[in-house]
Amino acid sequence: MKFFKLCAASLFLLFAPLLSFAEFYSSSYYGWNLDLPEGFVLKEASDDGLSFYLEHEFMKVRAAIKMFGADLYERSDLAMEDTLNKIGADGEIDGFLWNGRHASVAQYSFQLPGNPTAQAGWGISVTTEQKPVHLVVLCYADKNVADDCQQFILSAVDSLCVGKKDFRLPGPITSYAFNSGDSQNVKIKIDGKELYASIPSQAQESGRFVIDREFSVLTLYAKQKQWKEAWQRYYRLVFREAYSRLDGASQAIYAALSVDALTKNPQNPNLEICKKLLAWVQDFSYQREQDASDLNDLASVLQNKGSDCDSRALLLCVLMEHYGVKTELFVSGVYSHALFGVDLPYPGARIMVDGTNYLLCETTAPVDMGLVAKEQSETKNWIGVDLP
């Protein structure tokens, strides 16, 4: 990883409204979105709708968002540089390529006016797509607790999307840390076939980075009112990081299964593919991660290198979403279990979420689609995780 230190100073923002839903702070006009950890509250914003300042309810963490006209700077890194200069910053900015666009990352520390406590944090600058502006996002905390808050801060900054495709591509911090274009071929055994699929060489390391970071954030909400939303966000961001990493694998698997599936069920070959995928993961070796997160990265799960219920269900969500089928992850603290939900016509247990009646699938026992253990059949004990 290429993380570095950068110095900065104070920030001043005026008052105006900001669109938010749950902990998604976004601008439908400019087309950006932040899937922030739960608990951020808008405190100030400018009348022109270009500057926002937020504070977290129980963490000593703050966030600032600033937009500049696309014609004001030649590149987004210059917008970050000018922002830091205007607030008296002294430090560095590192540029990188994020999802095909130029962006820059900054790690900084600064002093708030009239506040003896120094601040430290991370920032990203990038140009938006829908309505081009240079977007600068800063997230920081009191310097004496900044190290303890670093995973939380990185999670907030990494949740940024500035185009529709970003919802299923790694965030800017993850892309910056793991930007190697190298790939490797991995062997997959499925439905009696042995095939090779290309995945990024850093896929396992990148997945582990996001899982560990997001689990450290999730644990902060164990006794908070937003525990459910935090749990949903955890899986949502793990899915986001893994989705594009498994593009090559999803294509290879589809090529291996689609001909037989189309022959058996010309009207709905995806149903046959889903059956085969479910039987495949049900036969994986069951292994819970020994670290705190208890979740394996999906590139490792794909290769049958240890998995349990939620990692298998997430893998199925990634693959079937690649094939254009709506999916939902269902988790339960009551049952300490997870199920795979899929929008396909087949008899069995279902749970309705936002108008879609998802068929439930057990990933750790060799049972047919739609069959769920009787002692785990109370639908109110399951939490649906909407995937991006």
Side-chain angles (χ1 to χ4, degrees):
M1 279 180 239
K2 303 177 298 181
F3 294 166
F4 56 90
K5 300 248 182 214
L6 177 73
C7 295
S10 60
L11 183 65
F12 177 69
L13 295 171
L14 302 174
F15 183 78
L18 172 65
L19 175 64
S20 68
F21 177 76
E23 297 307 319
F24 289 89
Y25 285 88
S26 63
S27 170
S28 58
Y29 182 70
Y30 293 104
W32 58 263
N33 181 90
L34 278 165
D35 188 356
L36 294 174
E38 284 63 33
F40 274 99
V41 178
L42 178 66
K43 293 295 185 179
E44 299 178 14
S46 61
D47 291 329
D48 60 9
L50 297 178
S51 302
F52 308 96
Y53 171 72
L54 304 94
E55 293 182 354
H56 197 267
E57 290 179 335
F58 60 86
M59 296 287 289
K60 294 181 179 179
V61 175
R62 291 158 282 280
I65 305 162
K66 176 66 179 177
M67 288 173 279
F68 301 93
D71 57 347
L72 193 58
Y73 303 102
E74 185 178 349
R75 301 186 311 271
S76 61
D77 60 315
L78 297 178
M80 174 69 84
E81 180 181 346
D82 194 37
T83 298
L84 298 180
N85 285 338
K86 286 179 178 178
I87 58 179
D90 179 22
E92 299 178 28
I93 298 169
D94 198 10
F96 67 105
L97 198 63
W98 176 39
N99 299 343
R101 63 178 79 88
H102 292 285
S104 60
V105 60
Q107 187 183 12
Y108 51 86
S109 60
F110 65 94
Q111 199 81 34
L112 288 169
N115 187 340
T117 304
Q119 305 292 302
W122 290 80
I124 287 290
S125 64
V126 66
T127 304
T128 59
E129 295 181 1
Q130 180 174 301
K131 174 73 174 178
V133 291
H134 298 298
L135 177 68
V136 175
V137 177
L138 304 178
C139 190
Y140 49 91
D142 292 353
K143 194 171 185 178
N144 61 335
V145 297
D147 287 345
D148 294 334
C149 296
Q150 180 166 264
Q151 296 287 62
F152 190 92
I153 291 170
L154 289 174
S155 175
V157 175
D158 204 29
S159 73
L160 177 65
C161 295
V162 296
K164 291 183 179 179
K165 65 180 181 180
D166 291 341
F167 286 96
R168 292 190 171 183
L169 291 168
I173 293 294
T174 304
S175 296
Y176 173 74
F178 303 95
N179 62 358
S180 170
D182 298 336
S183 61
Q184 60 178 329
N185 285 325
V186 299
K187 184 167 65 175
I188 303 172
K189 293 183 178 180
I190 182 171
D191 194 36
K193 303 175 178 65
E194 188 174 280
L195 57 106
Y196 287 86
S198 176
I199 65 171
S201 58
Q202 295 180 312
Q204 292 169 258
E205 188 181 1
S206 174
R208 191 77 257 155
F209 169 75
V210 170
I211 288 170
D212 291 344
R213 182 192 71 201
E214 295 308 322
F215 185 78
S216 72
V217 174
L218 176 62
T219 56
L220 299 172
Y221 293 86
K223 296 182 179 180
Q224 300 295 329
K225 61 183 179 181
Q226 308 100 327
W227 66 268
K228 176 181 174 182
E229 291 77 14
W231 207 6
Q232 292 169 318
R233 181 181 182 273
Y234 169 65
Y235 286 113
R236 193 163 60 238
L237 294 189
V238 172
F239 174 91
R240 176 189 176 183
E241 187 282 328
Y243 186 86
S244 65
R245 309 286 197 196
L246 301 187
D247 284 349
S250 69
Q251 294 170 12
I253 291 172
Y254 187 82
L257 302 182
S258 58
V259 174
D260 290 345
L262 186 60
T263 300
K264 189 170 184 179
N265 190 344
Q267 285 72 39
N268 198 339
N270 278 333
L271 176 59
E272 300 306 316
I273 290 176
C274 191
K275 288 181 181 180
K276 292 179 183 295
L277 290 177
L278 181 62
W280 172 54
V281 302
Q282 287 173 343
D283 196 42
F284 281 177
S285 57
Y286 187 89
Q287 178 183 323
R288 301 185 69 172
E289 286 300 290
Q290 299 304 307
D291 58 15
S293 64
D294 196 28
L295 180 70
N296 206 358
D297 68 274
L298 299 195
S300 295
V301 176
L302 176 79
Q303 301 169 68
N304 194 11
K305 294 182 177 180
S307 62
D308 59 1
C309 54
D310 50 357
S311 57
R312 297 183 193 188
L314 267 178
L315 176 61
L316 291 179
C317 287
V318 167
L319 295 175
M320 291 308 299
E321 289 282 346
H322 269 93
Y323 309 146
V325 179
K326 289 179 65 176
T327 66
E328 183 96 354
L329 174 69
F330 291 95
V331 294
S332 172
V334 176
Y335 303 135
S336 297
H337 198 40
L339 295 172
F340 167 59
V342 62
D343 182 22
L344 286 171
Y346 201 75
R350 292 180 178 269
I351 294 180
M352 180 77 72
V353 179
D354 295 332
T356 300
N357 205 13
Y358 291 98
L359 180 73
L360 302 180
C361 301
E362 169 62 61
T363 65
T364 57
V367 298
D368 197 7
M369 298 172 66
L371 295 181
V372 178
K374 184 177 180 180
E375 61 271 19
Q376 297 178 349
S377 61
E378 182 55 66
T379 58
K380 69 179 182 180
N381 291 330
W382 291 99
I383 298 171
V385 179
D386 290 334
L387 303 170

